[in-house]
C-alpha cells in the first residue's frame, strides 16, 4: 500500500552557504560570472524566506572545494521517514555528498545511497505526495533511476521514470504546488504523465519561473517573471518573490538551494 502524504508540511530545510569558488561553477548559461556579494545577499533572502514559512534552518558551511555546493538539493532526496543520498554525475560535484551524508546520518536513521554506475541528482526528482517523478536527464541514468525506484518501493513510495528534453533537470521545467496543481514548461507541458493535473503553463520568455517551490502556505518563486507570478497568484497561491539572478548564471533554479523536509 502506498503512503498517504497529502498536505505535506515542511518543518526543516538544509542549506549550504555559497562558496567564493562558485564563480567557477558548471554552467551552460551565457549570463556572465556570478557577483559573489549579490549571490550572498540573494542566498540570505532565500533563507529568510524559508524561515518566514516556518522552517527551522540547518545551515552547512560553504566548501571552497566544491563550486556548485550551494545547490544542495542535488545531493539528496528527503521525506519525513526516508533519506536517499544521490550520486551526482559531474566529477566536480561527487564529493558534495560527503558532508550531506554525515549530517543526514545523525538525523535520519533510514538512509540509503545510490551507487555508481548509477547517477541521479535531486533536481531530477519531483515528489507529488506518494509518487516520485524521476527525470531521465543527462545527469540521471537508468541505473540511478532503477536503484532509486527500488529504495522508494521498499519505503512504500512509487517511482515513475519521466521522459524530458532540453532541460538541465526535471525540476527546471516542472514544479508541484499541491492541490493537484502543477507548473510546467517546454516538452513537459504535453507529457501524458502530467495530464491529470491542473496545469499552469509557463511561456518560453519566462522559462526560468517554472522552477518554484511550495513551502507550507507560500509559493517561493523567482523575481522578475510577472506573467508566471500573475497566473500562479490567480490560481489561488500566495507568492514570495526572490532575486535569483546570480544562481541562474550557473543554471541553478530556486529549488536547488535547499532540501526541505
Ligand atoms: C550544475 O550544473 O550542476 C550546477 N551549476 C547547477 C545545479 C542546479 N541544480 C538544480 O537545478 N537542482
Amino acid at each position: 500500500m502506498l503512503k498517504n502524504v497529502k498536505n505535506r508540511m515542511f518543518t526543516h530545510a538544509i542549506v549550504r552557504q555559497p562558496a567564493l569558488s562558485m564563480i567557477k561553477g558548471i554552467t551552460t548559461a551565457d549570463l556572465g560570472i556570478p557577483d559573489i556579494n549579490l549571490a550572498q545577499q540573494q542566498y540570505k533572502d532565500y533563507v529568510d524566506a524559508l524561515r518566514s514559512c516556518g522552517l527551522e534552518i540547518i545551515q552547512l558551511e560553504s566548501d571552497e572545494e566544491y563550486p556548485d555546493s550551494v545547490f544542495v538539493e542535488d545531493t539528496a532526496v528527503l521525506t519525513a521517514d526516508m533519506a536517499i543520498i544521490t550520486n551526482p554525475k559531474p566529477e566536480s560535484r561527487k564529493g558534495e555528498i560527503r558532508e550531506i551524508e554525515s549530517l543526514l546520518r545523525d538525523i535520519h536513521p533510514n538512509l540509503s545511497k545510490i551507487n555508481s554506475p548509477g547517477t541521479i541528482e535531486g533536481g531530477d526528482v519531483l515528489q507529488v505526495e506518494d509518487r516520485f517523478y524521476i527525470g531521465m536527464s543527462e545527469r540521471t541514468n537508468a541505473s540511478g533511476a532503477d536503484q532509486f525506484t527500488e529504495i522508494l518501493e521498499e519505503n512504500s513510495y512509487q517511482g515513475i521514470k519521466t521522459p524530458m528534453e532540453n532541460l538541465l533537470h526535471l525540476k527546471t521545467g516542472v514544479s508541484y504546488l499541491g492541490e493537484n496543481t502543477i507548473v510546467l514548461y517546454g516538452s513537459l507541458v504535453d507529457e501524458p504523465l502530467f495530464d491529470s493535473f491542473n496545469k499552469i503553463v509557463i511561456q518560453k520568455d519566462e522559462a526560468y519561473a517554472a522552477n518554484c517551490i511550495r513551502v507550507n502556505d507560500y509559493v517561493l518563486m523567482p523575481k522578475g517573471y510577472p506573467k508566471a507570478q500573475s497566473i500562479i497568484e490567480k490560481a489561488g497561491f500566495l507568492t514570495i518573490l526572490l532575486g535569483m539572478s546570480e544562481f541562474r548564471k550557473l543554471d541553478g533554479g530556486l529549488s536547488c538551494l535547499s532540501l526541505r523536509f
Side-chain angles (χ1 to χ4, degrees):
M1 235 212 359
L2 289 174
K3 287 180 206 280
N4 181 359
V5 282
K6 281 207 168 97
N7 304 321
R8 186 162 78 122
M9 291 290 283
F10 295 115
T11 55
H12 291 80
I14 299 171
V15 293
R16 189 169 211 170
Q17 289 180 315
L20 301 179
S21 63
M22 78 175 269
I23 56 169
K24 293 188 237 135
I26 306 169
T27 188
T28 59
D30 195 9
L31 296 169
I33 295 170
D35 172 329
I36 194 70
N37 291 324
L38 184 52
Q40 281 166 339
Q41 185 58 51
Q42 291 180 341
Y43 166 82
K44 187 178 169 302
D45 293 344
Y46 180 93
V47 172
D48 286 347
L50 291 178
R51 276 205 190 93
S52 73
C53 295
L55 303 198
E56 195 175 306
I57 303 297
I58 301 168
Q59 177 170 262
L60 294 169
E61 294 288 304
S62 59
D63 188 340
E64 294 303 330
E65 201 181 330
Y66 299 107
D68 285 295
S69 53
V70 69
F71 302 117
V72 74
E73 177 187 60
D74 291 323
T75 59
V77 174
L78 300 181
T79 66
D81 58 356
M82 172 189 84
I84 303 178
I85 305 293
T86 65
N87 185 15
K89 183 172 175 192
E91 283 304 321
S92 68
R93 297 204 62 189
K94 285 196 185 293
E96 288 177 32
I97 62 170
R98 209 175 322 120
E99 217 168 318
I100 295 292
E101 185 177 345
S102 65
L103 170 70
L104 290 176
R105 282 208 183 277
D106 286 342
I107 55 180
H108 239 303
N110 180 14
L111 182 137
S112 313
K113 284 182 76 167
I114 305 299
N115 298 306
S116 295
T119 63
I120 186 165
E121 299 184 2
D124 277 326
V125 178
L126 174 74
Q127 182 179 5
V128 176
E129 291 152 17
D130 54 19
R131 320 191 281 288
F132 289 76
Y133 294 87
I134 306 165
M136 300 312 294
S137 74
E138 297 286 314
R139 298 284 182 93
T140 290
N141 62 20
S143 164
D146 288 342
Q147 291 179 49
F148 188 79
T149 301
E150 207 170 301
I151 299 163
L152 290 176
E153 288 171 358
E154 283 163 11
N155 286 280
S156 307
Y157 292 106
Q158 185 190 6
I160 304 165
K161 283 194 188 133
T162 307
M164 53 176 283
E165 55 193 46
N166 301 327
L167 297 169
L168 173 62
H169 286 124
L170 179 67
K171 283 187 292 194
T172 314
V174 54
S175 305
Y176 182 62
L177 301 188
E179 278 77 58
N180 202 42
T181 302
I182 204 157
V183 176
L184 294 162
Y185 168 71
S187 66
L188 296 173
V189 174
D190 297 316
E191 169 52 53
L193 287 171
F194 299 124
D195 275 351
S196 63
F197 292 95
N198 307 319
K199 295 183 180 181
I200 291 180
V201 175
I202 301 295
Q203 301 305 316
K204 192 169 182 189
D205 60 336
E206 293 200 351
Y208 185 72
N211 179 276
C212 45
I213 51 174
R214 169 81 184 263
V215 184
N216 300 342
D217 294 336
Y218 294 93
V219 172
L220 275 52
M221 60 176 299
K223 197 182 277 179
Y225 302 88
K227 286 182 280 186
Q229 181 190 346
S230 158
I231 186 168
I232 287 172
E233 288 175 354
K234 280 206 183 98
F237 297 96
L238 299 171
T239 57
I240 297 178
L241 304 179
L242 292 164
M244 286 291 299
S245 60
E246 304 318 292
F247 301 106
R248 187 179 171 206
K249 289 176 179 172
L250 298 181
D251 297 331
L254 198 141
S255 70
C256 336
L257 295 182
S258 63
L259 275 165
R260 287 92 42 209
F261 62 105

